[in-house]
Amino acid sequence: MLSGRRLDILDPSPLDVEIEDIAHGLARVARWNGQTAGEHIFSVAQHSLLVEAINAHLQPGLPQPWQLMALLHDAPEYVIGDIISPVKAAVGENYKSVEKRLLATIHIRFGLPPETPPPLHRKIKRADTVAAFLEATHLAGFAREEALRIFGRPEPLPRAVLDILAPVSTGEAQAHFKQRFDALLGG
């Protein structure tokens, strides 16, 4: 990692996890394998911000640690990349096991329970699906009808949430992710 930490992907330690490395890595990992419109990629850092904002909109008053779990839902991708769901399914349990172990390590590093509580996990998954619908239709060239078939109908969202869909530079994505992390951890 740029911080100088060495993270053992198969046996990760919370002592080797730094938020700067996570923000840096996620800002440089492209959603949709980079197949999005715009001058910049739509990064996993921006996707994480979008999911956290959607989740907060759908669940007002959510405790800050739970909001932080939503922000960090794809944090393992800072080292393993963003692999599309069909490939994850084809690779199977080994991939899921590595991803799950990394997420637990990241949670522990920031004082969160190792596993996301199932009711919260379901809510984050719903926000993730809404985000995928929005990304698909606004950035990845999906027709609305196709996206409705794949992702279902999304809930209406305020403009401030939709503004997150504008791809920004990696530096901006990294800074926005780190700022939101700091606000949730500090609050």
Side-chain angles (χ1 to χ4, degrees):
M1 302 297 132
L2 282 178
S3 66
R5 301 280 186 198
R6 297 294 178 250
L7 182 69
D8 182 341
I9 293 173
L10 299 179
D11 187 23
S13 167
L15 299 175
D16 293 326
V17 173
E18 296 294 338
I19 191 58
E20 290 79 10
D21 292 330
I22 294 171
H24 179 87
L26 294 182
R28 286 156 178 77
V29 174
R31 290 277 292 166
W32 304 93
N33 291 324
Q35 298 299 310
T36 52
E39 179 181 347
H40 302 289
I41 64 165
F42 189 75
S43 69
V44 174
Q46 283 188 267
H47 166 77
S48 297
L49 289 162
L50 181 60
V51 169
E52 190 271 325
I54 292 168
N55 195 56
H57 174 74
L58 297 177
Q59 297 187 85
L62 198 63
Q64 283 180 309
W66 283 189
Q67 290 175 305
L68 186 57
M69 287 178 126
L71 181 68
L72 295 172
H73 80 282
D74 279 340
E77 293 178 10
Y78 88 104
V79 287
I80 59 176
D82 184 21
I83 298 176
I84 59 174
S85 297
V87 174
K88 284 182 187 180
V91 173
E93 286 305 312
N94 287 338
Y95 178 85
K96 290 178 187 172
S97 172
V98 169
E99 186 178 43
K100 198 174 195 179
R101 198 168 29 253
L102 280 168
L103 186 57
T105 300
I106 292 164
H107 280 186
I108 291 166
R109 167 65 176 91
F110 300 116
L112 300 169
E115 290 189 29
T116 305
L120 178 61
H121 179 78
R122 286 189 294 276
K123 300 280 187 180
I124 293 171
K125 199 69 182 146
R126 178 63 189 143
D128 196 28
T129 302
V130 171
F133 176 91
L134 294 170
E135 293 166 17
T137 56
H138 286 80
L139 302 169
F142 281 56
R144 182 171 172 76
E145 298 73 32
E146 179 183 17
L148 286 169
R149 274 194 317 277
I150 296 169
F151 304 109
R153 184 168 303 284
E155 288 80 354
L157 297 166
R159 181 85 236 159
V161 172
L162 297 176
D163 287 345
I164 298 170
L165 283 167
V168 298
S169 72
T170 56
E172 288 176 272
Q174 181 175 339
H176 291 286
F177 183 90
K178 179 72 169 54
Q179 288 165 355
R180 186 62 183 145
F181 173 87
D182 289 343
L184 290 172
L185 191 65

